[in-house]
Each structure stands twice: as structure tokens, then as C-alpha cells.
Amino acid sequence: MLFQVEMEVRLPHDMAPSAADELKRVERERAQQLMRDGKWRHLWRVVGHYSNTSIFDVTSHDELHAILTSLPLFPFMTMKVTPLCRHPSSIREDDT
Ligand SMILES: O=C(O)CC1=CCC(=O)O1
């Protein structure tokens, strides 16, 4: 099952830079492991925003929920989740 997830990051202004850097480091490690596992298919920065748009490939809503809520930055992100299905006009083989 494919989902588009839009994530907007808002770190507290009074968070120590070292704490913010550590959070971003562990978030990156977790995201890259999920990419190697084939769960996090695409990760794009939204130009001009501290946000991303991502594509996840998971087996259930529960799995996606578990992944998203386990992200180190989860407490500091708002998310919009959109379920996707194949467009009938798509010629891409990997759009399933
Ligand atoms: O910076 C972001 O958009 C939040 C984020 C998701 C994965 C990652 O490494 O950073």
C-alpha cells in the first residue's frame, strides 16, 4: 500500500542546537534504514519549507502508523497522510 506523507517540522525555538542536531542525526539514520528496507520509497524536500513530502510502501495502516509515530522527530512534526493507488494512465512499472 502506497501513501504520500507530508511532514512539517517545527522544533521549539528554545531547543539547544546540540539537541536539535542529535535529533536530526537519529532521524536521518532511521529514515535511511527505512529506505534500505524499502518502506520509505521517496523523500523530497519542499522548496522553501522545513518540510518534506515522502512516499511510503507498507502492508497496512497499522504499519504506517507504527513507523511514523516511531520517528525521532515525530513529536515535532505535523503530518498529512494521503492513500495512493495506481493511476490508469501511468506507464511506470513501479507505480504499484
Ligand atoms: O527534515 C525533514 O524533513 C525531516 C526528516 C525526515 C527524514 C529526515 O532525515 O529528516
Side-chain angles (χ1 to χ4, degrees):
M1 306 169 77
L2 293 175
F3 294 87
Q4 178 195 25
V5 182
E6 297 168 67
M7 306 180 198
E8 182 176 3
V9 186
R10 286 219 186 121
L11 296 177
H13 294 300
D14 59 356
M15 180 179 277
S18 58
D21 287 348
E22 177 60 10
L23 257 180
K24 291 175 197 175
R25 187 187 67 76
V26 291
E27 177 81 12
R28 179 170 54 250
E29 274 186 8
R30 177 89 176 111
Q32 290 178 346
Q33 185 57 54
L34 287 162
M35 288 180 212
R36 284 189 285 272
D37 295 342
K39 299 292 178 185
W40 197 325
R41 277 230 211 146
H42 295 276
L43 170 60
W44 295 94
R45 177 63 76 215
V46 179
V47 174
H49 296 266
Y50 190 8
S51 65
N52 72 70
T53 188
S54 292
I55 303 293
F56 284 84
D57 188 354
V58 293
T59 55
S60 66
H61 292 176
D62 285 344
E63 184 184 14
L64 182 62
H65 185 75
I67 287 172
L68 296 180
T69 56
S70 72
L71 293 175
L73 281 174
F74 179 77
F76 307 105
M77 294 198 283
T78 54
M79 297 190 181
K80 180 181 171 208
V81 177
T82 305
L84 303 175
C85 63
R86 185 177 178 81
H87 192 289
S89 303
S90 176
I91 61 168
R92 291 185 57 119
E93 295 298 325
D94 60 351
D95 278 1
T96 52

